[in-house]
Amino acid sequence: QKKVALRWNDGAQAELLADPDEIRRATINLIANALDATPEGGHVTLDVTQNDDVCIAVCDDGFGVPPERRSMLFERFAGTRAGGGTGLGLYIVRRIAEKYGGRAEYAPLEPRGSRFAIVVPKERADD
């Protein structure tokens, strides 16, 4: 509808000990947020990398997150902008990442846009 280009690093593979449905849910939340924040004709990119950790990153060239809202991004009911939804999506992303010993990350992109990611160890220390 908005003619946003969605790209991903084709052929990238990563293995991690986690529930695939939960990882899929976190990834879909990140992509949905990026698509919502990206204006017509924009770009959203999904990138998966693996070293000691598996990183699933979603970047967009959307509106970005105002500095005053960044510290609360992954909190329950925090939301990123007025009228932007329930405020649970990024909280759920964070909780899923933490369940597997990982973390959720945000970084602003220049000149505009955002990078959101979940970073999870390939193997959990308690496994």
Side-chain angles (χ1 to χ4, degrees), residues 69-108:
R69 301 191 95 171
R70 293 176 184 170
S71 66
M72 299 290 292
L73 277 174
F74 297 100
E75 298 302 318
R76 193 172 185 186
F77 303 120
T80 58
R81 55 185 163 46
T86 65
L88 287 174
L90 292 176
Y91 171 76
I92 291 168
V93 168
R94 188 194 91 203
R95 295 295 302 213
I96 290 171
E98 289 174 348
K99 178 178 179 178
Y100 297 105
R103 64 191 180 278
E105 299 178 341
Y106 164 76

mmCIF file of all heavy atoms in Angstrom, residues 69-108:
data_model
loop_
_atom_site.group_PDB
_atom_site.id
_atom_site.type_symbol
_atom_site.label_atom_id
_atom_site.label_comp_id
_atom_site.label_asym_id
_atom_site.label_seq_id
_atom_site.Cartn_x
_atom_site.Cartn_y
_atom_site.Cartn_z
ATOM 1 N N ARG A 69 11.988 9.903 24.049
ATOM 2 C CA ARG A 69 11.225 8.660 24.179
ATOM 3 C C ARG A 69 12.107 7.420 24.131
ATOM 4 O O ARG A 69 11.638 6.313 24.377
ATOM 5 C CB ARG A 69 10.179 8.591 23.069
ATOM 6 C CG ARG A 69 9.225 9.800 23.143
ATOM 7 C CD ARG A 69 8.092 9.623 22.278
ATOM 8 N NE ARG A 69 7.044 9.052 23.140
ATOM 9 C CZ ARG A 69 5.803 8.897 22.766
ATOM 10 N NH1 ARG A 69 5.442 9.204 21.566
ATOM 11 N NH2 ARG A 69 4.910 8.405 23.587
ATOM 12 N N ARG A 70 13.376 7.576 23.822
ATOM 13 C CA ARG A 70 14.258 6.424 23.597
ATOM 14 C C ARG A 70 14.484 5.571 24.827
ATOM 15 O O ARG A 70 14.570 4.354 24.731
ATOM 16 C CB ARG A 70 15.587 6.904 23.016
ATOM 17 C CG ARG A 70 15.409 7.469 21.630
ATOM 18 C CD ARG A 70 16.682 8.031 21.076
ATOM 19 N NE ARG A 70 16.417 8.652 19.782
ATOM 20 C CZ ARG A 70 17.280 9.396 19.140
ATOM 21 N NH1 ARG A 70 18.491 9.620 19.649
ATOM 22 N NH2 ARG A 70 16.954 9.928 17.970
ATOM 23 N N SER A 71 14.583 6.176 25.988
ATOM 24 C CA SER A 71 14.885 5.406 27.198
ATOM 25 C C SER A 71 13.739 4.473 27.599
ATOM 26 O O SER A 71 13.957 3.509 28.335
ATOM 27 C CB SER A 71 15.225 6.344 28.356
ATOM 28 O OG SER A 71 14.085 7.102 28.725
ATOM 29 N N MET A 72 12.548 4.729 27.114
ATOM 30 C CA MET A 72 11.379 3.935 27.487
ATOM 31 C C MET A 72 10.908 2.983 26.384
ATOM 32 O O MET A 72 9.880 2.327 26.545
ATOM 33 C CB MET A 72 10.225 4.873 27.844
ATOM 34 C CG MET A 72 10.493 5.785 29.017
ATOM 35 S SD MET A 72 10.540 4.894 30.558
ATOM 36 C CE MET A 72 8.835 4.413 30.713
ATOM 37 N N LEU A 73 11.627 2.884 25.300
ATOM 38 C CA LEU A 73 11.157 2.133 24.132
ATOM 39 C C LEU A 73 10.691 0.719 24.431
ATOM 40 O O LEU A 73 9.688 0.269 23.883
ATOM 41 C CB LEU A 73 12.257 2.059 23.075
ATOM 42 C CG LEU A 73 12.380 3.260 22.163
ATOM 43 C CD1 LEU A 73 13.597 3.115 21.272
ATOM 44 C CD2 LEU A 73 11.133 3.428 21.338
ATOM 45 N N PHE A 74 11.433 0.006 25.260
ATOM 46 C CA PHE A 74 11.146 -1.408 25.477
ATOM 47 C C PHE A 74 10.341 -1.653 26.753
ATOM 48 O O PHE A 74 10.226 -2.789 27.207
ATOM 49 C CB PHE A 74 12.456 -2.203 25.494
ATOM 50 C CG PHE A 74 13.177 -2.134 24.176
ATOM 51 C CD1 PHE A 74 14.243 -1.270 23.993
ATOM 52 C CD2 PHE A 74 12.776 -2.916 23.102
ATOM 53 C CE1 PHE A 74 14.908 -1.193 22.780
ATOM 54 C CE2 PHE A 74 13.428 -2.847 21.884
ATOM 55 C CZ PHE A 74 14.490 -1.985 21.718
ATOM 56 N N GLU A 75 9.774 -0.575 27.300
ATOM 57 C CA GLU A 75 8.953 -0.698 28.502
ATOM 58 C C GLU A 75 7.501 -0.953 28.114
ATOM 59 O O GLU A 75 7.045 -0.544 27.047
ATOM 60 C CB GLU A 75 9.051 0.573 29.350
ATOM 61 C CG GLU A 75 10.458 0.870 29.845
ATOM 62 C CD GLU A 75 11.047 -0.244 30.677
ATOM 63 O OE1 GLU A 75 10.310 -0.812 31.518
ATOM 64 O OE2 GLU A 75 12.241 -0.563 30.487
ATOM 65 N N ARG A 76 6.779 -1.580 29.003
ATOM 66 C CA ARG A 76 5.375 -1.899 28.766
ATOM 67 C C ARG A 76 4.553 -0.622 28.616
ATOM 68 O O ARG A 76 4.682 0.301 29.416
ATOM 69 C CB ARG A 76 4.863 -2.721 29.947
ATOM 70 C CG ARG A 76 3.560 -3.370 29.700
ATOM 71 C CD ARG A 76 3.261 -4.309 30.846
ATOM 72 N NE ARG A 76 2.037 -5.016 30.539
ATOM 73 C CZ ARG A 76 1.431 -5.825 31.372
ATOM 74 N NH1 ARG A 76 1.942 -6.028 32.566
ATOM 75 N NH2 ARG A 76 0.340 -6.428 31.029
ATOM 76 N N PHE A 77 3.728 -0.574 27.583
ATOM 77 C CA PHE A 77 2.834 0.538 27.262
ATOM 78 C C PHE A 77 3.564 1.843 26.966
ATOM 79 O O PHE A 77 2.984 2.917 27.051
ATOM 80 C CB PHE A 77 1.793 0.764 28.372
ATOM 81 C CG PHE A 77 0.961 -0.447 28.656
ATOM 82 C CD1 PHE A 77 0.959 -1.012 29.924
ATOM 83 C CD2 PHE A 77 0.192 -1.031 27.668
ATOM 84 C CE1 PHE A 77 0.187 -2.136 30.199
ATOM 85 C CE2 PHE A 77 -0.575 -2.152 27.930
ATOM 86 C CZ PHE A 77 -0.573 -2.700 29.200
ATOM 87 N N ALA A 78 4.828 1.779 26.596
ATOM 88 C CA ALA A 78 5.590 2.998 26.334
ATOM 89 C C ALA A 78 5.292 3.569 24.953
ATOM 90 O O ALA A 78 5.200 4.775 24.792
ATOM 91 C CB ALA A 78 7.084 2.746 26.486
ATOM 92 N N GLY A 79 5.163 2.723 23.937
ATOM 93 C CA GLY A 79 4.909 3.210 22.581
ATOM 94 C C GLY A 79 5.997 4.143 22.099
ATOM 95 O O GLY A 79 6.773 4.670 22.868
ATOM 96 N N THR A 80 6.081 4.351 20.795
ATOM 97 C CA THR A 80 7.107 5.224 20.243
ATOM 98 C C THR A 80 6.558 6.560 19.794
ATOM 99 O O THR A 80 7.279 7.515 19.651
ATOM 100 C CB THR A 80 7.815 4.558 19.052
ATOM 101 O OG1 THR A 80 6.847 4.225 18.064
ATOM 102 C CG2 THR A 80 8.567 3.328 19.492
ATOM 103 N N ARG A 81 5.243 6.634 19.528
ATOM 104 C CA ARG A 81 4.671 7.901 19.104
ATOM 105 C C ARG A 81 3.183 7.904 19.412
ATOM 106 O O ARG A 81 2.581 6.850 19.590
ATOM 107 C CB ARG A 81 4.913 8.156 17.622
ATOM 108 C CG ARG A 81 4.423 7.061 16.710
ATOM 109 C CD ARG A 81 4.823 7.368 15.280
ATOM 110 N NE ARG A 81 4.777 6.321 14.341
ATOM 111 C CZ ARG A 81 3.847 5.434 14.115
ATOM 112 N NH1 ARG A 81 2.798 5.401 14.838
ATOM 113 N NH2 ARG A 81 3.937 4.548 13.178
ATOM 114 N N ALA A 82 2.605 9.068 19.474
ATOM 115 C CA ALA A 82 1.183 9.188 19.782
ATOM 116 C C ALA A 82 0.349 8.453 18.739
ATOM 117 O O ALA A 82 0.605 8.561 17.550
ATOM 118 C CB ALA A 82 0.793 10.660 19.836
ATOM 119 N N GLY A 83 -0.620 7.688 19.185
ATOM 120 C CA GLY A 83 -1.491 6.958 18.272
ATOM 121 C C GLY A 83 -0.826 5.788 17.605
ATOM 122 O O GLY A 83 -1.305 5.278 16.604
ATOM 123 N N GLY A 84 0.314 5.329 18.149
ATOM 124 C CA GLY A 84 1.104 4.301 17.488
ATOM 125 C C GLY A 84 0.791 2.872 17.868
ATOM 126 O O GLY A 84 1.504 1.985 17.484
ATOM 127 N N GLY A 85 -0.219 2.598 18.653
ATOM 128 C CA GLY A 85 -0.540 1.224 18.998
ATOM 129 C C GLY A 85 -0.645 1.051 20.499
ATOM 130 O O GLY A 85 -0.726 2.007 21.265
ATOM 131 N N THR A 86 -0.584 -0.210 20.925
ATOM 132 C CA THR A 86 -0.801 -0.525 22.334
ATOM 133 C C THR A 86 0.419 -0.258 23.205
ATOM 134 O O THR A 86 0.293 -0.174 24.424
ATOM 135 C CB THR A 86 -1.181 -2.005 22.504
ATOM 136 O OG1 THR A 86 -0.069 -2.808 22.100
ATOM 137 C CG2 THR A 86 -2.417 -2.349 21.706
ATOM 138 N N GLY A 87 1.599 -0.203 22.614
ATOM 139 C CA GLY A 87 2.805 -0.035 23.409
ATOM 140 C C GLY A 87 3.323 -1.342 23.972
ATOM 141 O O GLY A 87 4.144 -1.351 24.878
ATOM 142 N N LEU A 88 2.852 -2.458 23.429
ATOM 143 C CA LEU A 88 3.306 -3.764 23.907
ATOM 144 C C LEU A 88 4.308 -4.435 22.972
ATOM 145 O O LEU A 88 5.055 -5.305 23.395
ATOM 146 C CB LEU A 88 2.109 -4.704 24.109
ATOM 147 C CG LEU A 88 1.244 -4.408 25.312
ATOM 148 C CD1 LEU A 88 0.014 -5.308 25.311
ATOM 149 C CD2 LEU A 88 2.028 -4.581 26.593
ATOM 150 N N GLY A 89 4.353 -4.055 21.718
ATOM 151 C CA GLY A 89 5.180 -4.742 20.736
ATOM 152 C C GLY A 89 6.651 -4.808 21.102
ATOM 153 O O GLY A 89 7.257 -5.885 21.121
ATOM 154 N N LEU A 90 7.258 -3.669 21.408
ATOM 155 C CA LEU A 90 8.682 -3.653 21.744
ATOM 156 C C LEU A 90 8.937 -4.262 23.117
ATOM 157 O O LEU A 90 9.995 -4.852 23.355
ATOM 158 C CB LEU A 90 9.246 -2.238 21.657
ATOM 159 C CG LEU A 90 9.312 -1.664 20.244
ATOM 160 C CD1 LEU A 90 9.783 -0.218 20.285
ATOM 161 C CD2 LEU A 90 10.209 -2.509 19.352
ATOM 162 N N TYR A 91 7.992 -4.148 24.007
ATOM 163 C CA TYR A 91 8.093 -4.806 25.309
ATOM 164 C C TYR A 91 8.145 -6.320 25.114
ATOM 165 O O TYR A 91 8.981 -7.011 25.710
ATOM 166 C CB TYR A 91 6.904 -4.405 26.183
ATOM 167 C CG TYR A 91 6.795 -5.187 27.471
ATOM 168 C CD1 TYR A 91 7.647 -4.911 28.541
ATOM 169 C CD2 TYR A 91 5.840 -6.187 27.613
ATOM 170 C CE1 TYR A 91 7.545 -5.628 29.728
ATOM 171 C CE2 TYR A 91 5.729 -6.897 28.800
ATOM 172 C CZ TYR A 91 6.581 -6.628 29.852
ATOM 173 O OH TYR A 91 6.484 -7.338 31.017
ATOM 174 N N ILE A 92 7.292 -6.847 24.264
ATOM 175 C CA ILE A 92 7.282 -8.280 23.970
ATOM 176 C C ILE A 92 8.597 -8.693 23.326
ATOM 177 O O ILE A 92 9.171 -9.732 23.671
ATOM 178 C CB ILE A 92 6.074 -8.647 23.087
ATOM 179 C CG1 ILE A 92 4.789 -8.506 23.897
ATOM 180 C CG2 ILE A 92 6.213 -10.048 22.504
ATOM 181 C CD1 ILE A 92 3.511 -8.564 23.076
ATOM 182 N N VAL A 93 9.106 -7.888 22.402
ATOM 183 C CA VAL A 93 10.397 -8.165 21.772
ATOM 184 C C VAL A 93 11.480 -8.292 22.845
ATOM 185 O O VAL A 93 12.271 -9.240 22.849
ATOM 186 C CB VAL A 93 10.755 -7.064 20.749
ATOM 187 C CG1 VAL A 93 12.203 -7.169 20.304
ATOM 188 C CG2 VAL A 93 9.817 -7.129 19.547
ATOM 189 N N ARG A 94 11.517 -7.329 23.758
ATOM 190 C CA ARG A 94 12.518 -7.348 24.830
ATOM 191 C C ARG A 94 12.378 -8.592 25.699
ATOM 192 O O ARG A 94 13.358 -9.261 26.025
ATOM 193 C CB ARG A 94 12.391 -6.102 25.697
ATOM 194 C CG ARG A 94 13.540 -5.999 26.714
ATOM 195 C CD ARG A 94 13.259 -4.981 27.781
ATOM 196 N NE ARG A 94 12.595 -5.698 28.876
ATOM 197 C CZ ARG A 94 11.827 -5.147 29.783
ATOM 198 N NH1 ARG A 94 11.566 -3.865 29.752
ATOM 199 N NH2 ARG A 94 11.285 -5.855 30.720
ATOM 200 N N ARG A 95 11.160 -8.917 26.085
ATOM 201 C CA ARG A 95 10.937 -10.079 26.955
ATOM 202 C C ARG A 95 11.342 -11.387 26.277
ATOM 203 O O ARG A 95 11.907 -12.267 26.925
ATOM 204 C CB ARG A 95 9.470 -10.132 27.386
ATOM 205 C CG ARG A 95 9.016 -8.964 28.251
ATOM 206 C CD ARG A 95 9.729 -8.953 29.558
ATOM 207 N NE ARG A 95 9.463 -10.217 30.218
ATOM 208 C CZ ARG A 95 9.359 -10.409 31.499
ATOM 209 N NH1 ARG A 95 9.522 -9.416 32.312
ATOM 210 N NH2 ARG A 95 9.102 -11.606 31.998
ATOM 211 N N ILE A 96 11.066 -11.512 24.987
ATOM 212 C CA ILE A 96 11.471 -12.721 24.266
ATOM 213 C C ILE A 96 12.990 -12.807 24.217
ATOM 214 O O ILE A 96 13.572 -13.863 24.498
ATOM 215 C CB ILE A 96 10.853 -12.745 22.851
ATOM 216 C CG1 ILE A 96 9.346 -12.982 22.946
ATOM 217 C CG2 ILE A 96 11.529 -13.818 21.983
ATOM 218 C CD1 ILE A 96 8.585 -12.804 21.646
ATOM 219 N N ALA A 97 13.663 -11.721 23.885
ATOM 220 C CA ALA A 97 15.128 -11.728 23.841
ATOM 221 C C ALA A 97 15.707 -12.093 25.203
ATOM 222 O O ALA A 97 16.616 -12.930 25.300
ATOM 223 C CB ALA A 97 15.646 -10.368 23.380
ATOM 224 N N GLU A 98 15.187 -11.499 26.266
ATOM 225 C CA GLU A 98 15.689 -11.762 27.617
ATOM 226 C C GLU A 98 15.434 -13.207 28.056
ATOM 227 O O GLU A 98 16.245 -13.788 28.777
ATOM 228 C CB GLU A 98 15.068 -10.798 28.612
ATOM 229 C CG GLU A 98 15.588 -9.385 28.466
ATOM 230 C CD GLU A 98 14.878 -8.380 29.354
ATOM 231 O OE1 GLU A 98 13.808 -8.713 29.934
ATOM 232 O OE2 GLU A 98 15.389 -7.253 29.473
ATOM 233 N N LYS A 99 14.335 -13.784 27.614
ATOM 234 C CA LYS A 99 14.022 -15.174 27.954
ATOM 235 C C LYS A 99 15.139 -16.107 27.515
ATOM 236 O O LYS A 99 15.408 -17.120 28.155
ATOM 237 C CB LYS A 99 12.694 -15.579 27.308
ATOM 238 C CG LYS A 99 12.301 -17.012 27.553
ATOM 239 C CD LYS A 99 10.962 -17.327 26.927
ATOM 240 C CE LYS A 99 10.583 -18.782 27.172
ATOM 241 N NZ LYS A 99 9.265 -19.083 26.605
ATOM 242 N N TYR A 100 15.805 -15.757 26.415
ATOM 243 C CA TYR A 100 16.868 -16.593 25.875
ATOM 244 C C TYR A 100 18.258 -16.029 26.176
ATOM 245 O O TYR A 100 19.227 -16.348 25.501
ATOM 246 C CB TYR A 100 16.643 -16.804 24.373
ATOM 247 C CG TYR A 100 15.348 -17.541 24.137
ATOM 248 C CD1 TYR A 100 14.224 -16.882 23.676
ATOM 249 C CD2 TYR A 100 15.239 -18.888 24.449
ATOM 250 C CE1 TYR A 100 13.019 -17.560 23.504
ATOM 251 C CE2 TYR A 100 14.049 -19.571 24.294
ATOM 252 C CZ TYR A 100 12.942 -18.899 23.815
ATOM 253 O OH TYR A 100 11.761 -19.575 23.664
ATOM 254 N N GLY A 101 18.344 -15.192 27.197
ATOM 255 C CA GLY A 101 19.636 -14.665 27.624
ATOM 256 C C GLY A 101 20.154 -13.530 26.775
ATOM 257 O O GLY A 101 21.335 -13.193 26.825
ATOM 258 N N GLY A 102 19.275 -12.915 26.007
ATOM 259 C CA GLY A 102 19.687 -11.851 25.094
ATOM 260 C C GLY A 102 19.165 -10.489 25.500
ATOM 261 O O GLY A 102 18.787 -10.264 26.651
ATOM 262 N N ARG A 103 19.129 -9.609 24.520
ATOM 263 C CA ARG A 103 18.693 -8.236 24.767
ATOM 264 C C ARG A 103 18.054 -7.674 23.498
ATOM 265 O O ARG A 103 18.278 -8.167 22.401
ATOM 266 C CB ARG A 103 19.880 -7.376 25.180
ATOM 267 C CG ARG A 103 20.923 -7.230 24.089
ATOM 268 C CD ARG A 103 22.219 -6.602 24.595
ATOM 269 N NE ARG A 103 23.188 -6.475 23.523
ATOM 270 C CZ ARG A 103 23.976 -7.445 23.092
ATOM 271 N NH1 ARG A 103 23.912 -8.658 23.635
ATOM 272 N NH2 ARG A 103 24.841 -7.238 22.109
ATOM 273 N N ALA A 104 17.290 -6.615 23.702
ATOM 274 C CA ALA A 104 16.729 -5.841 22.594
ATOM 275 C C ALA A 104 17.520 -4.549 22.504
ATOM 276 O O ALA A 104 17.929 -3.996 23.531
ATOM 277 C CB ALA A 104 15.255 -5.556 22.834
ATOM 278 N N GLU A 105 17.744 -4.067 21.286
ATOM 279 C CA GLU A 105 18.554 -2.865 21.081
ATOM 280 C C GLU A 105 17.855 -1.875 20.162
ATOM 281 O O GLU A 105 17.076 -2.264 19.282
ATOM 282 C CB GLU A 105 19.888 -3.218 20.423
ATOM 283 C CG GLU A 105 20.762 -4.148 21.203
ATOM 284 C CD GLU A 105 22.050 -4.495 20.474
ATOM 285 O OE1 GLU A 105 22.145 -4.328 19.241
ATOM 286 O OE2 GLU A 105 22.978 -4.945 21.158
ATOM 287 N N TYR A 106 18.181 -0.612 20.376
ATOM 288 C CA TYR A 106 17.742 0.456 19.488
ATOM 289 C C TYR A 106 18.933 1.360 19.196
ATOM 290 O O TYR A 106 19.740 1.642 20.083
ATOM 291 C CB TYR A 106 16.638 1.309 20.131
ATOM 292 C CG TYR A 106 16.457 2.630 19.409
ATOM 293 C CD1 TYR A 106 15.792 2.678 18.190
ATOM 294 C CD2 TYR A 106 17.019 3.799 19.894
ATOM 295 C CE1 TYR A 106 15.674 3.866 17.496
ATOM 296 C CE2 TYR A 106 16.897 4.995 19.208
ATOM 297 C CZ TYR A 106 16.226 5.018 18.011
ATOM 298 O OH TYR A 106 16.121 6.191 17.312
ATOM 299 N N ALA A 107 19.024 1.816 17.955
ATOM 300 C CA ALA A 107 20.017 2.830 17.592
ATOM 301 C C ALA A 107 19.408 3.726 16.525
ATOM 302 O O ALA A 107 18.774 3.239 15.577
ATOM 303 C CB ALA A 107 21.289 2.183 17.055
ATOM 304 N N PRO A 108 19.573 5.047 16.676
ATOM 305 C CA PRO A 108 19.093 5.943 15.618
ATOM 306 C C PRO A 108 20.019 5.849 14.413
ATOM 307 O O PRO A 108 21.215 5.577 14.555
ATOM 308 C CB PRO A 108 19.174 7.327 16.271
ATOM 309 C CG PRO A 108 20.230 7.185 17.318
ATOM 310 C CD PRO A 108 20.175 5.761 17.789
#
